[in-house]
Amino acid sequence: MTSHKFKVGDRVRLVKLASTNTVEAFLNMVTTAEITRPGDVWEVTRLLPADQAGFQYHVRGSHDGPARLVREEQLRPA
């Protein structure tokens, strides 16, 4: 069984993912641009169970912004 790549307290960066679904690509572009800046570091605050697409995490920005739900493939170590 696979496990989470990151753990609570890990510092990560969000990456934009290319999508063939135009609606998903647009939403990713808009929501990522609204709350992130290049170089922003986020902290993993909660691990969520896997679904069909993989593991999810709650992350919170170091700039005390809102928490965000992200998929594991959207994260890179900071």
Side-chain angles (χ1 to χ4, degrees):
M1 182 167 180
T2 61
S3 61
H4 287 84
K5 181 177 178 180
F6 302 98
K7 62 184 190 292
V8 172
D10 281 354
R11 296 171 57 80
V12 295
R13 294 185 195 278
L14 298 180
V15 296
K16 290 185 183 180
L17 298 175
S19 176
T20 56
N21 178 320
T22 55
V23 172
E24 184 179 281
F26 173 76
L27 289 174
N28 186 36
M29 178 186 70
V30 172
T31 57
T32 302
E34 284 177 355
I35 61 173
T36 65
R37 295 179 303 268
D40 275 356
V41 175
W42 296 71
E43 182 177 339
V44 175
T45 58
R46 186 173 178 199
L47 308 179
L48 300 171
D51 62 9
Q52 299 93 343
F55 290 111
Q56 297 182 82
Y57 299 81
H58 279 172
V59 296
R60 181 169 299 278
S62 58
H63 55 282
D64 293 326
R68 179 168 179 175
L69 175 70
V70 294
R71 296 201 169 280
E72 190 166 83
E73 66 269 11
Q74 292 175 278
L75 299 175
R76 297 292 178 263

